[in-house]
C-alpha cells in the first residue's frame, strides 16, 4: 500500500508506510498533513494514521546475499588445473628415459 502526501498544498509521493513512519519520526510530517491512499480520491488528515505511524514496525527485509558458488566453483577448477599441471611437470623432470625394444636393438647391434 502506498500513500501520497499534501503538505501545505505541495503534493508528493507515492510513499510506503515505512517511509511515512520515517517522516513522522523526523517531524517532516505531522497530524495536520494530509494523505491519500493510492487509488483513492479523498484526502484525509495524517492524524488518522497516528496509531499506525507510531506502532512498532517489523524489521525491514534484509537484502539477499549471493552465495558466490559459481565464483567458488571456478576458483576450485583453476586451482585443480594448476595442481595437475605442476604434478605433470614435476614427474616429467624426475622420469628417467625409457628404452624401447627398438632402442635396445640398435644399441646392441654391432656394426
Amino acid at each position: 500500500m502506498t500513500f501520497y502526501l499534501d503538505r501545505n498544498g505541495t503534493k508528493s509521493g507515492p510513499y510506503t508506510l515505512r517511509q511515512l513512519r520515517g517522516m513522522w519520526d523526523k517531524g517532516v510530517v505531522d497530524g495536520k498533513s494530509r494523505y491519500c491512499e493510492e487509488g483513492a480520491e479523498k484526502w484525509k488528515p495524517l492524524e488518522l494514521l497516528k496509531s499506525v505511524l507510531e506502532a512498532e514496525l517489523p524489521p525491514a527485509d534484509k537484502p539477499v546475499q549471493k552465495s558466490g558458488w559459481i565464483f567458488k566453483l571456478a576458483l576450485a577448477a583453476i586451482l585443480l588445473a594448476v595442481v595437475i599441471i605442476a604434478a605433470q611437470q614435476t614427474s616429467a623432470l624426475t622420469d628417467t628415459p625409457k628404452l624401447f625394444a627398438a632402442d635396445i636393438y640398435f644399441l646392441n647391434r654391432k656394426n
Side-chain angles (χ1 to χ4, degrees):
M1 179 183 306
T2 56
F3 303 89
Y4 291 87
L5 289 176
D6 181 354
R7 294 177 283 174
N8 301 324
T10 304
K11 293 179 174 64
S12 60
Y15 300 104
T16 64
L17 185 58
R18 188 171 300 279
Q19 289 171 315
L20 282 180
R21 170 93 187 272
M23 289 187 278
W24 181 270
D25 290 343
K26 293 176 185 173
V28 175
V29 295
D30 58 20
K32 295 177 186 174
S33 301
R34 300 181 66 72
Y35 78 96
C36 180
E37 294 180 38
E38 188 168 29
E41 295 180 16
K42 188 174 181 182
W43 292 86
K44 303 173 188 174
L46 204 52
E47 181 70 31
L48 296 175
L49 290 181
K50 181 178 179 178
S51 61
V52 175
L53 295 173
E54 292 179 351
E56 192 167 325
L57 293 177
D61 293 336
K62 293 181 180 177
V64 177
Q65 293 181 349
K66 296 180 183 179
S67 64
W69 66 271
I70 294 175
F71 174 75
K72 292 174 186 173
L73 182 63
L75 184 60
I78 291 169
L79 288 175
L80 181 61
V82 168
V83 168
I84 290 172
I85 291 169
Q88 289 174 345
Q89 289 179 349
T90 303
S91 66
L93 294 175
T94 58
D95 283 348
T96 56
K98 294 187 170 55
L99 297 176
F100 294 100
D103 296 329
I104 295 171
Y105 171 77
F106 286 110
L107 291 173
N108 288 332
R109 194 177 84 180
K110 294 183 180 183
N111 292 336

